[in-house]
Every structure is written in structure tokens, then in C-alpha cells.
Amino acid sequence: MSSLQIRKIMPNFGAEITGIDLNRPLTPQQEADIIAAIAEYGVCVYPDTGLTDQTHIWFSRMFGNLWTIAGQGTRLSRFDYPHLFDAGNLTHEGEISTDEMARKRRKGDRLWHTDSSFTKERTTYSLLLAHEVPAEGGETGFADMRGAYDALPQAMKDRIENLEAEHSYNYSRMLAGFPISREEVEKGMKARHKLVHIHPGSGRKSLYIASHMLRIVGMEEAESDALIKELLDFATQPQFTFDHHWKPGDLVIWDNFCTMHRGGDYDDVNHRRDMRRTTVMAYPPPPVVMDPRFRDRFDPAQFEAMVDA
Ligand code: OGA
Ligand code: MN
């Protein structure tokens, strides 16, 4: 029996979790139940958490090493902690940003994606906390990549089983209208990952796809573009997706290895949105992989193989 109260959002995807105070030190049983829930449901919504920057970061550390913004010590973000990624629209002074370039760059997050697929090391869990939300819009959509994989026709499963894609952050910015040329995209950072992998934590096969995908490796451009579109369209059909409508204090955890997400439109010129994210590095593998409590859940060898891909 789980120590958590779990309400499913979709039949096999997403859960709302209550009956726990994430600001307090957790018992080993509570930690184990939190890990089990994210492994099973892919997205876990914890409403009305009352988390602060400090307790958000503190809680996140249980999952593994946290991503930090480059250039620690310099004030690159508006936060006091380098572990927080800014998914909102405010300036360092806390006003609505009027920076047109920053707005255009943020538009890229409104395309379906999984975080950090454009890096070799990647990130496993993202933990996004709402501080201020717009009155209308700004919901986040989530898509089930294990369910989508399971539902693919066998011929498509066979076709993509051993294919790899190149992922680029700049490519998804270009798609969203950010002024960057194809040459710059090609010259910039790219990472290569398999389209299908085994999701650590559930052992189920999952699509690993995103709007960051620039091309399928070794495929002619028209065919590659068509396959990328077909997979993204298939995987984001209504039967695989739901929207989360935020309230301040909501924490949503998603597993980047078995989900995609996208930000919803909102009036970001006139409405404040303050959303802060911690993100767990996939490499080195999170300590939960080696934790004796999860011996039945994680196969370290499988995890290593995936991280090296
Ligand atoms: C993210 C992201 C979308 C949103 O934080 O990784 O894509 O709705 N956010 O804020
Ligand atoms: Mn994202």
C-alpha cells in the first residue's frame, strides 16, 4: 500500500498526488512511494505544496544531481540558486520582460519536447513549481511516450527500432520563429539518441522524441522530415495527452525519458508567469538506481547502456 493518495489523471498516465508534505523530511517509505509513482505514471502533480525555492531544491535532490545554470557565481538568472531554471516571463527586477528576443526564444517551449534531449548527458526528471500564474492560458500539456509507443503499428515499431535522431536546441527555436539560420543550427550543439529506448523504472519501451529532432540519422531529408512529423503527430493525439492547469504552489514532476510536454499560449506581454524548475541530471545515473530499496525497479546495467547511447 502506498503512503500517498493517488488519483489517476488518464487511465495509464499522469497522477495527482496528495497526503504528503514535501517541505518536511520524508520517510524512506515516502521516498520509495514517490519514486514508484513517477516511474508508473510518468507525470505526478502535487497540488498546493507550499514549497519555497529552498524546499523545492532540497526535495529535488533526493532524485539525483541537479542541473545548474552555467557560470555559477555570476548572476545569470534572477534567482538566488543556480539550480533553478526560469520558465516564466519576468526580469531580474521581477517585472514582465519586454525583451522580444527572450519572448521568441521561449516560444520554442510551446512545441512538444522533452527537456535536454539536445545534450549528450540529458536529464531524467523535471520538477516545475508554479509561483505566479496567468489568469488565462499558460497550461502545460503532457504526452505519454510509452502509451504512444505501445499503440504504434507493428510495421512502424520495426521501422524505428534501431533509428537514431539528432536533437538541437537551436532547431526547435528556429521552428518556433526565432531568427537563427539553418547553417547556425548545423554548426551548433547537437546530440544523438535512439528513437526507442527502454524506460528505466518501468522496463517498458518508450519513444524518445521531441521537436528538437533535426533529422533521423542517415535518412534523406524529405523522408526524415516526414517521419519526424508522423511520430510527433501520432504521439500527441488526445488519447495520449492531458493539460495541467496551474495554481500557485503546484509542483509537477515529469520523467523526460517517457514523456513530452509543451507550454500553452498565454498573453505574456500583459500577464505575469513565474515558474521555476529544478532538473535532475541523467549522468551520473541518479542514486535511486543503486538504492537497495529500488533493486527490483532499476537495472543499473540497462540504465548505463541508455545513458551511453
Ligand atoms: C519546462 C517547460 C513549459 C511551461 O519548464 O521545461 O517546457 O508550460 N515549460 O512552462
Ligand atoms: Mn521543457
Side-chain angles (χ1 to χ4, degrees), residues 85 109 113-115 254 261 277:
F85 169 88
D109 290 335
H113 68 281
T114 191
D115 292 331
W254 64 85
H261 61 280
R277 193 189 84 200

Side-chain angles (χ1 to χ4, degrees), residues 76-87:
L76 281 181
S77 90
R78 61 194 188 86
F79 307 126
D80 294 335
Y81 303 92
H83 315 83
L84 295 174
F85 169 88
D86 192 351

Side-chain angles (χ1 to χ4, degrees), residues 64-139:
N65 291 341
L66 300 186
W67 169 91
T68 53
I69 195 162
Q72 273 189 51
T74 59
R75 210 169 146 77
L76 281 181
S77 90
R78 61 194 188 86
F79 307 126
D80 294 335
Y81 303 92
H83 315 83
L84 295 174
F85 169 88
D86 192 351
N89 66 339
L90 305 180
T91 64
H92 285 210
E93 289 71 42
E95 305 295 333
I96 293 178
S97 167
T98 53
D99 179 345
E100 199 51 32
M101 281 308 193
R103 281 190 66 226
K104 288 203 162 121
R105 197 175 298 111
R106 281 201 305 273
K107 289 263 191 231
D109 290 335
R110 301 198 188 167
L111 304 174
W112 287 106
H113 68 281
T114 191
D115 292 331
S116 316
S117 67
F118 45 83
T119 65
K120 180 175 189 296
E121 293 79 11
R122 298 186 282 184
T123 53
T124 51
Y125 308 105
S126 291
L127 299 92
L128 185 60
L129 178 65
H131 289 249
E132 284 184 77
V133 302
E136 246 179 86
E139 58 289 312

Side-chain angles (χ1 to χ4, degrees), residues 290-306:
M290 300 306 290
D291 190 317
R293 285 175 294 166
F294 306 123
R295 197 162 280 144
D296 295 339
R297 184 167 291 283
F298 292 104
D299 172 357
Q302 182 187 78
F303 199 90
E304 281 287 350
M306 182 168 142

